[in-house]
Amino acid sequence: MSELNTIALSHDFLSRYAKESAVCIDATAGRGYDTEFLCSKVGETGKVYAFDIQKEAIESTEKRLSEKGYKNAEVILASHSDMDKYVKEKVDCIVFNLGWLPKGDHNIHTEAESSIEAIEKGLSLLKNGGGMNIAIYYGRETGFEEKDRVLKHLKTIDSLKYTVIVSEFTNRTNCYPISVFIMKD
Ligand SMILES: C[S@@+](CC[C@H](N)C(=O)[O-])C[C@H]1O[C@@H](n2cnc3c(N)ncnc32)[C@H](O)[C@@H]1O
C-alpha cells in the first residue's frame, strides 16, 4: 500500500499555508501531533491556537510541545465552536481531525452540531488565500451521523468564496477517513 495517507495529505496541504510567521488553528488538539507539526512550520514568530474539550488532550499536547521546545502555541481547554472567543486575528490555516482522542475515551468525540458551527467560525477567521483541512474519522454510530451531516453541510458553502474538495481513498476499507480541503479565494 502506498505511504500516502490521511496525515500525509493533510500535512502536505497545510504546508502550503503554515509558513514562517503564519497564524494557524488546530481545532482538535488530541495528542498534539498536528499542533506540533504546525508549530514546526510557523517558527518562533508564528502562532498556533490549539483547542480540545478534554483535559487529557490538553495535557498531552502541552507535554509534547514542551518536550520539543515549542513555545509558539496557545493550548486552550474549550470547544472549537467557541474559537472566535479566543482567536481575535485572521488565520492562515485551520485543521480539524473529527473523531475521538487516540488511546482515549471513545465515548467522547466530536459532534456534528458543534463541528459544523466550528467549521463556519473557522471559515470566517480564515484570511483570503487561506486553507482549511478536515479529516473525518468515523466508524461508530455517532461518527457516521457526523460524517453525513458535515458532508451535507460542505455542499452549502458559498462557491463564489470557497473551493471545497472532498477526497476519499475509495478502495481502502474499514471506514478509511475522508479528507476535506477548503480554500478561501
Ligand atoms: C481525532 S482526535 C484529534 C487528534 C489530533 N489531531 C492529534 O494529533 O492527536 C479528536 C479530538 O477532538 C476532541 N474534541 C471533541 N469535541 C471537541 C470540541 N467540541 N472542540 C474541540 N475538540 C474536540 C477530542 O477530545 C479529541 O481529542
Side-chain angles (χ1 to χ4, degrees):
M1 192 189 280
S2 153
E3 284 181 16
L4 192 59
N5 58 27
T6 309
I7 296 170
L9 266 187
S10 165
H11 288 190
D12 190 52
F13 176 79
L14 295 171
S15 296
R16 298 174 54 180
Y17 306 97
K19 307 279 189 203
E20 190 80 24
S21 302
V23 181
C24 310
I25 297 176
D26 182 351
T28 48
R31 300 285 174 201
Y33 293 100
D34 292 317
T35 311
E36 177 193 350
F37 172 76
L38 292 170
C39 286
S40 76
K41 291 287 169 185
V42 304
E44 285 176 15
T45 53
K47 167 118 192 187
V48 180
Y49 296 92
F51 293 89
D52 207 291
I53 51 166
Q54 294 192 67
K55 200 159 174 273
E56 184 183 346
I58 297 298
E59 286 170 359
S60 206
T61 298
E62 281 175 338
K63 182 166 177 279
R64 174 175 301 283
L65 298 180
S66 133
E67 280 168 5
K68 305 279 173 169
Y70 291 123
K71 299 191 176 101
N72 48 358
E74 194 178 329
V75 187
I76 302 161
L77 179 63
S79 172
H80 42 217
S81 55
D82 284 332
M83 64 169 74
D84 55 324
K85 296 189 179 131
Y86 298 88
V87 183
K88 298 292 181 192
E89 57 187 323
K90 292 283 184 186
V91 305
D92 295 278
C93 68
I94 305 177
V95 61
F96 288 81
N97 281 183
L98 304 184
W100 52 81
L101 178 67
K103 296 189 182 151
D105 182 352
H106 283 204
N107 294 310
I108 307 172
H109 47 73
T110 52
E111 304 270 2
E113 193 140 332
S114 45
S115 295
I116 289 168
E117 189 180 347
I119 290 166
E120 280 301 317
K121 287 189 173 171
L123 292 179
S124 302
L125 283 168
L126 266 190
K127 290 179 186 169
N128 292 336
M132 177 186 290
N133 168 237
I134 309 166
I136 307 177
Y137 290 81
Y138 65 105
R140 302 202 161 220
E141 273 177 44
T142 45
F144 281 100
E145 195 225 333
E146 182 182 38
K147 167 182 80 74
D148 291 343
R149 285 185 57 192
V150 168
L151 290 176
K152 190 171 172 204
H153 183 78
L154 294 175
K155 288 183 189 284
T156 69
I157 294 175
D158 185 353
S159 64
L160 295 176
K161 292 191 191 143
Y162 303 93
T163 300
V164 183
I165 299 170
V166 176
S167 75
E168 292 186 59
F169 289 78
T170 204
N171 65 342
R172 290 194 188 171
T173 51
N174 294 330
C175 301
Y176 203 82
I178 295 171
S179 298
V180 178
F181 306 96
I182 306 179
M183 288 146 277
K184 189 166 186 171
D185 299 333

